[in-house]
Amino acid sequence: MTAQTTQPAPASVPARTAPARRPRSRSGDIALDTRTGLLLDLTVSAGPAQRLPRGRAQDRYRCLACGLPLEYCGPRTRPDYTARFRHTRHDPDRCNASPARQASVPAAVRHARTLAQHLHTAQPGTDIELVVTAIADGDCPPVLAVRLHAPHGTTTVHLAYTSELSPHQADQLAHAAHDTTTRHWLLYDRLTPAHTHDLGQITVRLHRQNQRLERLTPTATQRRLAATSVAVAWRAQGLLLIPFGGHAVLHQPRTGENWTGPAAPFQRDWKISHPRPATDATWWGLVPVPLRALTAPTLLAAAPKTMAELERVQHGRESYRRAQARAQFTQAQTQLPPTPAAHPTRPVATAEKDTAASPQPQPQPQPQPSASITFARPRLARLRKALRRLFRRP
């Protein structure tokens, strides 16, 4: 009988899978052209990929996230080769910026392209370019802009969506605004609460109707740029919100005015500064106009007209409140009780001293009867006596 031995089956070898390819960063498609200031986006079919020189090109291309020079790997004869920007040859996607900063760059580009498409739809004949007006500085991402070439002139709309500008970026925008041939706007996103501190709404009466306008507290950078040629504004759902200045005032009382009682709340008021907010404005109010007003000067002129109407209403409001103060003064005067005349009282000792010191009045002599009255008295007596004897006879 032969014993049979069973040999163990060989272990199955796991199938080798190819390592997953790391997805390419979106920053490899976007760069800044320092020679022209334009935004280079290789994802756009009509982009300048065929006209750009390859390589470093004397540090012409820079990363929008970290600001370092990039190398352009241009298109080749191979059909499967895609042009891109890379930091280094050995590590193309190595960027010193934080992941949040790298993610903010494509988001800012999408916002800029959305605005450009909206303006192109509103004004089809407008030539629109995407440019970079301020590079990244610290934690602040680069400032993208939409440049509009229209028949009425050139307009540059700087976009600040994710965060506030740094002082260096504000300097760059203020320097760019020295070009008087171009109108400059700095556009914020109204839905981003980090830009401003909301103060609620204020009710104004325009064209015999009550309207509510938004109020906010501007930042130091916004106040600074508003004093230059840059027009600061906000964008919110197809609207362009243009600011005016609001100043808290306290009406000084005049002759015949009483600011107490029912008229006390009317003493605190506000006045407007326009067409741009003054540097000492307490708060900013926002006047809404259509967003397409950036390409239509006729629509943009509606904002100064509204501000002029607000100033006219301001004078009417002050006149009404002072009338209420005068009415309060008149009412207070009519309701006052009559004040009795106060008799001065003197101490008793003083009164006695004055009486003793004062001379006693001398008695006046009685007037003597005149001579005619003295001679007429006996005659009257004799006449009465004769009349009595006459009436006694039978």
Side-chain angles (χ1 to χ4, degrees):
M1 185 174 181
T2 305
Q4 295 182 357
T5 60
T6 59
Q7 296 180 357
S12 60
V13 179
R16 300 181 60 182
T17 57
R21 186 176 182 181
R22 184 176 59 177
R24 188 181 66 180
S25 174
R26 291 286 298 176
S27 61
D29 300 327
I30 303 172
L32 165 64
D33 189 351
T34 59
R35 181 174 301 178
T36 61
L38 297 178
L39 175 69
L40 302 178
D41 190 353
L42 301 181
T43 61
V44 181
S45 58
Q50 301 292 338
R51 303 188 303 270
L52 294 177
R54 298 189 185 95
R56 294 278 179 174
Q58 299 178 355
D59 294 341
R60 177 176 177 176
Y61 318 112
R62 288 190 175 272
C63 177
L64 292 180
C66 64
L68 295 178
L70 297 177
E71 180 182 357
Y72 175 57
C73 303
R76 299 176 184 270
T77 55
R78 292 170 47 184
D80 58 342
Y81 186 85
T82 304
R84 64 163 304 169
F85 296 102
R86 65 185 181 185
H87 286 78
T88 62
R89 183 182 300 273
H90 303 286
D91 196 354
D93 298 328
R94 183 179 182 179
C95 183
N96 297 333
S98 63
R101 170 74 62 78
Q102 297 184 40
S104 66
V105 171
V109 174
R110 287 195 299 269
H111 282 295
R113 292 208 174 277
T114 301
L115 177 61
Q117 293 176 0
H118 182 86
L119 297 178
H120 183 72
T121 303
Q123 194 74 17
T126 304
D127 186 15
I128 300 178
E129 298 175 336
L130 294 184
V131 297
V132 181
T133 53
I135 62 175
D137 183 24
D139 295 334
C140 299
V143 179
L144 305 183
V146 178
R147 184 175 296 167
L148 311 174
H149 299 279
H152 59 270
T154 303
T155 303
T156 302
V157 183
H158 310 272
L159 306 178
Y161 281 110
T162 56
S163 65
E164 184 58 278
L165 305 181
S166 67
H168 180 62
Q169 291 176 333
D171 292 339
Q172 293 181 0
L173 265 63
H175 179 73
H178 291 167
D179 183 10
T180 57
T181 61
T182 303
R183 184 181 181 89
H184 293 268
W185 289 84
L186 177 59
L187 202 60
Y188 288 90
D189 187 9
R190 191 67 182 93
L191 302 180
T192 303
H195 294 160
T196 51
H197 176 64
D198 290 343
L199 296 178
Q201 295 179 336
I202 183 173
T203 303
V204 296
R205 189 166 183 82
L206 296 174
H207 309 294
R208 298 182 179 181
Q209 294 182 354
N210 291 336
Q211 297 184 13
R212 292 183 176 271
L213 300 179
E214 298 183 11
R215 294 190 308 161
L216 50 84
T217 302
T219 62
T221 302
Q222 293 167 358
R223 290 181 182 271
R224 174 190 172 190
L225 291 177
T228 63
S229 301
V230 180
V232 181
W234 279 260
R235 175 193 177 188
Q237 298 178 354
L239 294 177
L240 181 66
L241 306 177
I242 303 177
F244 62 87
H247 306 255
V249 295
L250 185 68
H251 294 304
Q252 298 300 325
R254 298 176 181 175
T255 305
E257 295 180 351
N258 186 357
W259 293 95
T260 61
F266 292 158
Q267 191 173 9
R268 296 185 179 275
D269 201 0
W270 65 276
K271 65 179 182 178
I272 185 175
S273 60
H274 67 98
R276 292 197 176 192
T279 55
D280 58 343
T282 309
W283 46 266
W284 285 7
L286 302 178
V287 175
V289 295
L291 185 60
R292 65 179 183 274
L294 292 172
T295 59
T298 55
L299 296 177
L300 195 60
K305 293 181 180 179
T306 302
M307 296 177 188
E309 180 69 14
L310 288 175
E311 185 177 8
R312 189 190 65 81
V313 172
Q314 164 192 320
H315 297 307
R317 184 174 61 250
E318 180 180 358
S319 300
Y320 171 78
R321 296 190 175 196
R322 290 194 178 275
Q324 295 298 317
R326 291 192 295 269
Q328 178 65 17
F329 177 81
T330 304
Q331 183 179 3
Q333 292 295 324
T334 56
Q335 292 179 354
L336 288 177
T339 305
H343 299 282
T345 58
R346 296 183 297 175
V348 177
T350 306
E352 294 177 354
K353 182 178 179 181
D354 294 344
T355 304
S358 60
Q360 297 295 332
Q362 298 296 331
Q364 298 292 334
Q366 297 294 332
Q368 298 296 331
S370 61
S372 60
I373 296 177
T374 304
F375 291 116
R377 284 180 180 177
R379 293 180 181 179
L380 290 175
R382 288 193 297 271
L383 181 59
R384 291 191 190 99
K385 189 175 180 179
L387 289 174
R388 283 195 298 267
R389 284 196 299 263
L390 181 62
F391 285 107
R392 287 180 183 173
R393 293 179 180 179

